[in-house]
Amino acid sequence: MTALTGTWNLDTTHSTIGFVVRHAMVSKVRGTFNDFNSTITVAENIADSKATATIQAASADTRNADRDAHLRTEDFFNTDAYPEITFTSTEVNVDASGNGTLTGDLTIKDTTKPVTLNVETFGVEEAPTGETRWGFEANTTIDRTEFGIDFNAPMNSGGVLLSKEIKVEIEGSAVKAD
């Protein structure tokens, strides 16, 4: 873990925190959160490592202004009452290359549930501009209804407009802070 040991800040201009939901039972809608920050501290003893993230819920962007406005309402994120989504790690289980799982507490709309992210590291490199960068992806699937996001509408076929399952996908480029 020597190359990863230290404190890292997610570079918001080169990273994406995204989500995918099944829509109308036949397609997927993808979105991102455009305003977030995250710090990852990798300890010599990997079990002592920590990761935190704060996402501004109102920054959800699905490339459709009407849908994005609906996401900010009480039907979904209720961003006036719950402006932030947070993650705090509780367990790190990765190998020397940075591949494995990261478990933590995800809080949405004042509801906290444990989630486990699958993590894949692509490497650590010094950029031409001098900073050290760590590239990785992390993903998990959550049940949005467990976080109080239970809006839906029936389809004529007997199904529903939106799946309960939301895929969370992080494409990370972190910059070493120390």
Side-chain angles (χ1 to χ4, degrees):
M1 294 305 293
T2 306
L4 290 176
T5 302
T7 300
W8 301 82
N9 296 311
L10 206 56
D11 177 353
T12 59
T13 61
H14 292 97
S15 301
T16 303
I17 298 177
F19 55 91
V20 182
V21 62
R22 179 74 59 191
H23 180 260
M25 300 185 66
V26 296
S27 65
K28 294 178 183 176
V29 169
R30 296 180 181 277
T32 60
F33 291 100
N34 295 326
D35 187 0
F36 57 88
N37 64 65
S38 177
T39 300
I40 305 162
T41 303
V42 180
E44 287 292 334
N45 176 359
I46 195 65
D48 295 331
S49 300
K50 299 287 179 198
T52 61
T54 302
I55 299 167
Q56 299 305 312
S59 73
D61 181 358
T62 64
R63 299 181 307 133
N64 179 294
D66 291 338
R67 181 172 44 226
D68 297 345
H70 191 197
L71 289 176
R72 291 189 284 276
T73 70
E74 292 177 14
D75 284 343
F76 291 96
F77 293 119
N78 192 4
T79 60
D80 288 339
Y82 309 103
E84 295 181 338
I85 298 168
T86 61
F87 175 84
T88 303
S89 66
T90 57
E91 182 181 353
V92 177
N93 186 17
V94 297
D95 62 19
S97 298
N99 299 315
T101 60
L102 175 67
T103 300
D105 292 328
L106 178 64
T107 302
I108 302 173
K109 291 178 69 173
D110 236 8
T111 299
T112 302
K113 299 282 184 183
V115 299
T116 298
L117 294 154
N118 298 305
V119 180
E120 181 179 3
T121 290
F122 301 116
V124 175
E125 293 288 338
E126 186 173 329
T129 50
E131 74 272 6
T132 302
R133 290 190 171 269
W134 167 23
F136 65 91
E137 287 183 355
N139 62 71
T140 191
T141 301
I142 64 170
D143 179 340
R144 65 185 175 85
T145 63
E146 291 182 355
F147 294 93
I149 302 172
D150 53 10
F151 171 83
N152 228 327
M155 301 291 293
N156 290 338
S157 64
V160 291
L161 183 63
L162 302 172
S163 63
K164 287 183 181 182
E165 294 77 28
I166 304 292
K167 291 182 182 177
V168 178
E169 301 172 334
I170 302 166
E171 297 176 20
S173 179
V175 176
K176 195 163 194 177
D178 59 8

